[in-house]
Amino acid sequence: MNTALLALVGVLAGGMLMRVPIGFAMIASGIAYLAVKRQDLGLAAEQIGNGLYNSYVLLAVPLFVFAANIMNAGTVSERIFDFCRILVGRLRGGLAQVDILVSVIFSGMSGSAIADAAGPGLVTIRQMLKKPEYSPGFAGAVVVASATLGPIIPPSIPMVIYALVSGASVGALFLGGVLPGVLMALLMMGVVQYIATKRHMPREAPVPLSEWPAVLFRGALPLSMPIVLLGGIYSGAFTPTEAAAVAAAHALILAGVVYRALSWRTLYGVVLESARGSAVITLILAGSFMLNYAFTAEGVPQALAGWVDALQLSPLAFLLLVNLLFLVLGCFLDVSVLLLVFVPMLLPAVKALGIDLVHFGVLVVLNMMIGLIHPPFGMLLFVTKALTGIPIGAMMKEGWLFLVLLLALLLAMTCFPQIVLWLPQTMGYGAK
């Protein structure tokens, strides 16, 4: 590692230790690299400007953020909760089962784990805490685990960003997340059933049959979102980026016109919050363009690919090593850093080994979701604690079984790529 790269790593690490916003730290480290290399500092603006300007797919990110915020502000979470209570509320631990099914449905609209935890997750936690049979730690653990479904079941903001850095098909990535997402939900519901039976948790009171039509109608409308998105993408009606605009319009019409739950003041707040969230993501992307420029100029991805080739690793051994690397790094680093800095460095090796980019992308996103639910970083743990006051230790004590099963699913997906690739290939992905 030469002096310029040492300066880049030093400034980035120093900024993170001083709690400088990660986007600023990444940009500053890139400028430090240029300064030590005695290159024109204007290259920073050029790399950032070109990177953002040429990334059409990047437009999908703020639109999906906006759609998720609209859904959270427009009482959609409560309506989906009532809908799911009819379907699974009569199972043992009914409220926890409802939360998982709500997350499955909400994932088809938001694409964000944080939005899932802050929206429908908060609704179900409040309901569970009203009953003594549900401990705060268990309630928080269920919500934190189920929120990981957000970026796996399409649409998915992390998958859009992965497509940006890898060139993989957004539509194929979305389809690749469907079966793993369903398996995740089934495993989580199995865990809840086991714990609920063991602890004699209650079933929910039955909803009167006379109320079923109205509740099902109100709750079923959001189910059309993923159908419209995936159907539109694969029928050629619109591109993945245009699908994000359709999602935002769908959410706005549903919350504002159909449910009449969105005032002008609320809409203004949603737009403001969406702009802030999108600005944070864009700033991190800007920093990643600088870091990727530096790493590419120094030949880091090619050197890494050469090192992997020298080790003569099989594709499976490489993927297992990458899983281990991301699981360790996920303890300390933000999802965005892993996705935008480390993934581009690994892509030459991925391509050299003949690993499918869609398979690799879904594995990477699941890895990052696991990183969101274990300390010390565990962003979903911190978000849930901030919203509810439930101690992180209590959630971890109750949530270890969810974490173990997610790791088991990650291993299965690594060893059997068809878990990810079966549906995309059925829909024509990879066909010549």
Side-chain angles (χ1 to χ4, degrees):
M1 184 178 288
N2 59 34
T3 306
L5 275 180
L6 283 172
L8 182 149
V9 173
V11 171
L12 180 61
M16 293 174 67
L17 289 172
M18 292 187 293
R19 297 183 181 275
V20 174
I22 185 65
F24 289 120
M26 292 166 73
I27 293 172
S29 65
I31 293 174
Y33 168 83
L34 293 176
V36 173
K37 292 284 286 188
R38 296 186 178 181
Q39 291 182 278
D40 182 6
L41 298 185
L43 270 174
E46 180 184 342
Q47 289 297 316
I48 293 171
N50 287 340
L52 294 176
Y53 180 77
N54 293 324
S55 303
Y56 175 66
V57 72
L58 185 59
L59 289 173
V61 174
L63 291 168
F64 280 132
V65 170
F66 177 69
N69 288 337
I70 283 286
M71 289 296 187
N72 275 337
T75 72
V76 175
S77 299
E78 290 85 349
R79 296 170 190 271
I80 297 175
F81 176 86
D82 292 336
F83 173 81
C84 294
R85 191 156 59 93
I86 288 179
L87 299 181
V88 297
R90 295 293 293 159
L91 297 175
R92 284 284 181 190
L95 287 176
Q97 302 283 18
V98 167
D99 175 74
I100 295 169
L101 188 57
V102 167
S103 294
V104 171
I105 297 174
F106 197 82
S107 297
M109 299 177 287
S110 72
S112 166
I114 303 299
D116 195 334
L122 189 57
V123 174
T124 48
I125 280 182
R126 287 171 178 166
Q127 294 294 324
M128 280 190 272
L129 293 183
K130 292 178 181 178
K131 300 190 176 185
E133 294 88 354
Y134 296 95
S135 68
F138 177 76
V142 172
V143 166
V144 165
S146 65
T148 60
L149 290 164
I152 303 297
I153 295 176
S156 166
I157 293 173
M159 286 184 186
V160 170
I161 297 175
Y162 172 81
L164 171 67
V165 300
S166 68
S169 163
V170 176
L173 285 165
F174 283 1
L175 284 176
V178 173
L179 184 55
V182 171
L183 292 175
M184 286 171 66
L186 291 175
L187 287 173
M188 290 176 194
M189 295 181 84
V191 171
V192 169
Q193 184 67 27
Y194 168 75
I195 295 174
T197 302
K198 189 176 180 181
R199 298 182 185 177
H200 305 289
M201 289 182 177
R203 306 174 192 269
E204 287 299 288
V207 178
L209 285 175
S210 59
E211 298 178 13
W212 278 39
V215 172
L216 291 174
F217 175 75
R218 290 197 305 268
L221 286 176
L223 287 171
S224 61
M225 174 84 85
I227 297 171
V228 169
L229 293 185
L230 291 177
I233 291 171
Y234 271 85
S235 68
F238 40 73
T239 67
T241 303
E242 292 165 347
V246 172
H250 186 284
L252 189 59
I253 293 170
L254 197 61
V257 179
V258 178
Y259 292 154
R260 298 185 180 276
L262 203 62
S263 66
W264 287 108
R265 177 174 294 182
T266 304
L267 180 59
Y268 174 77
V270 166
V271 171
L272 196 62
E273 182 60 31
S274 300
R276 287 172 179 161
S278 301
V280 170
I281 296 173
T282 303
L283 188 63
I284 295 171
L285 278 167
S288 74
F289 291 133
M290 274 307 307
L291 295 189
N292 291 336
Y293 168 80
F295 289 138
T296 302
E298 297 297 330
V300 173
Q302 292 73 21
L304 185 59
W307 177 71
V308 171
D309 184 59
L311 290 176
Q312 295 186 330
L313 293 175
S314 67
L316 178 59
F318 173 77
L319 288 176
L320 291 172
L321 187 63
V322 169
N323 283 340
L324 182 61
L325 173 67
F326 277 155
L327 289 171
V328 172
L329 292 176
C331 294
F332 309 101
L333 297 177
D334 181 58
V335 167
S336 55
V337 177
L338 294 175
L339 190 58
L340 294 167
V341 176
F342 287 91
V343 168
M345 288 195 292
L346 294 170
L347 286 175
V350 170
K351 294 174 182 176
L353 289 169
I355 297 170
D356 188 272
L357 288 177
V358 170
H359 179 219
F360 185 70
V362 177
L363 286 181
V364 164
V365 173
L366 180 55
N367 250 302
M368 293 174 182
M369 293 308 100
I370 293 173
L372 288 177
I373 63 174
H374 68 71
F377 195 82
M379 180 61 73
L380 280 173
L381 294 170
F382 287 100
V383 168
T384 305
K385 180 182 184 298
L387 291 172
T388 65
I390 299 173
I392 290 176
M395 288 188 279
M396 286 305 303
K397 183 179 178 181
E398 293 278 10
W400 66 269
L401 190 52
F402 293 105
L403 184 58
V404 168
L405 287 179
L406 286 179
L407 289 171
L409 178 60
L410 177 65
L411 179 61
M413 289 166 55
T414 303
C415 297
F416 304 102
Q418 285 305 110
I419 295 176
V420 174
L421 297 177
W422 172 76
L423 186 57
Q425 289 174 349
T426 299
M427 297 298 291
Y429 170 70
K432 295 182 179 179

